[in-house]
Amino acid sequence: MSLPAFVLLGMFFIWPLIRTVTMSLHDWPLLGVPEFIGFDNYVKAFRDNQFLGAGAFTIFYTVVITPILLILSFALAFLVRRGTRAHRFFQTIYFLPVVIGLASGSYIWLFMWQSDIGPTTLLLGDLGLLDPRTNYFADFWSAFAIVVTMVTWKVVGLQMLLVLAGIQGIPEDVTEAARIDGANAWQSFWHITVPLLRPTLALVLVFSVDGSLLAFDQFYIMTTGGPAGSTITAVFQIYRTGFVQFDVGYASALSLILMLALGLVSLGQMLLLRNSDNS
């Protein structure tokens, strides 16, 4: 019964992983004869200012967007937690962007913020809040803010549902007992709701961190890495190395370094969940 699973695992994970490891140990041009160079690609990665800069920007992006998603998903889940018709309506509204593909959402927001023709820039220009002639993707902070806002709009609905499922899984008896014992709303939230939601929050946290560390589409489409390469993420740099510079061996080494980083994040998730279960 498990043979098909092992076959699929071998075809789509183990064999590609073996090939990636092999390629990372070679100077492997897209056209030409590969040459074995040992760990030179890995040594080169830690001296590559472009990759280090892309990694630093990826971490910065992760640090910024993760708390935004966590706090907003928590707040939205509390707003719609009662399950009335109005709450279900807003729950649907908040969730709708999730069904749109990330690439499609990126193109929509790219058009909305185009200078002179974008609906958002024109509307805010009519209200006197912004200059509609300005190219907001030519400045790092405005481009970064637009991308972060788009990703929040796109992703927060799914995380809201995860938190909402966690809230609805808390027995009413527990909060009722706390209320009878004299706990106010804040004490009930902080000492009852948050500890019981810890596994759910850990799951949401890992989704946010993993997704942010693998960010590519939104920056590739909306900023193309600009201005001046300041919004190039780690995955974006791997793409450039492999498919623009055609240095496939080095791109494989960068991919494995990123995979190791994601593995460490997953290990942190397991430790966090285990500690939550023990507590």
Side-chain angles (χ1 to χ4, degrees):
M1 292 292 288
S2 57
L3 181 60
F6 280 111
V7 171
L8 292 175
L9 181 67
M11 287 176 59
F12 295 109
F13 180 72
I14 296 177
W15 175 243
L17 179 62
I18 292 173
R19 289 290 295 170
T20 304
V21 172
T22 303
M23 293 167 74
S24 72
L25 300 176
H26 289 74
D27 179 9
W28 196 303
L30 192 62
L31 299 175
V33 180
E35 178 186 357
F36 181 78
I37 57 173
F39 292 96
D40 285 1
N41 280 330
Y42 294 93
V43 175
K44 178 182 175 182
F46 291 99
R47 296 174 179 171
D48 184 347
N49 290 330
Q50 286 188 331
F51 180 65
L52 295 178
F57 172 70
T58 304
I59 293 173
F60 172 69
Y61 169 68
T62 303
V63 169
V64 170
I65 199 166
T66 298
I68 293 175
L69 291 175
L70 196 62
I71 293 171
L72 274 182
S73 61
F74 211 90
L76 292 177
F78 264 84
L79 284 176
V80 301
R81 72 185 187 281
R82 299 199 183 280
T84 64
R85 183 173 298 178
H87 288 155
R88 286 197 294 272
F89 172 75
F90 283 106
Q91 181 179 323
T92 304
I93 294 296
Y94 299 147
F95 185 77
L96 274 179
V98 177
V99 303
I100 300 174
L102 183 58
S104 302
S106 299
Y107 278 116
I108 291 171
W109 278 67
L110 177 64
F111 170 69
M112 288 172 57
W113 282 92
Q114 286 297 299
S115 56
D116 290 326
I117 60 172
T120 305
T121 52
L122 291 177
L123 175 62
L124 296 178
D126 290 341
L127 295 175
L129 299 176
L130 294 176
D131 182 358
R133 296 167 299 178
T134 301
N135 179 6
Y136 291 99
F137 293 100
D139 174 75
F140 171 80
W141 290 110
S142 59
F144 183 73
I146 293 170
V147 172
V148 167
T149 307
M150 187 281 295
V151 173
T152 303
W153 166 81
K154 169 73 181 68
V155 173
V156 75
L158 178 60
Q159 301 197 348
M160 173 200 70
L161 281 189
L162 294 174
V163 177
L164 182 62
I167 291 174
Q168 292 174 341
I170 298 176
E172 286 287 339
D173 298 348
V174 178
T175 53
E176 185 64 26
R179 195 174 301 115
I180 293 173
D181 289 341
N184 57 33
W186 170 251
Q187 290 170 329
S188 177
F189 167 78
W190 188 249
H191 295 291
I192 302 294
T193 304
V194 171
L196 292 177
L197 275 180
R198 197 177 301 169
T200 304
L201 295 179
L203 180 65
V204 172
L205 180 66
V206 170
F207 277 169
S208 299
V209 172
D210 283 1
S212 303
L213 290 177
L214 293 172
F216 172 71
D217 305 50
Q218 58 270 43
F219 291 103
Y220 178 76
I221 293 171
M222 298 179 71
T223 68
T224 60
S230 58
T231 58
I232 293 178
T233 61
V235 176
F236 198 161
Q237 182 60 25
I238 293 171
Y239 165 81
R240 281 158 44 98
T241 304
F243 297 101
V244 177
Q245 302 168 5
F246 302 122
D247 192 349
V248 183
Y250 184 45
S252 300
L254 298 182
S255 300
L256 290 172
I257 292 172
L258 182 60
M259 189 183 75
L260 178 62
L262 288 171
L264 293 175
V265 171
S266 299
L267 178 62
Q269 172 203 12
M270 288 188 288
L271 292 175
L272 188 60
L273 289 173
R274 188 178 65 180
N275 292 337
S276 299
D277 293 340
N278 291 337
S279 63

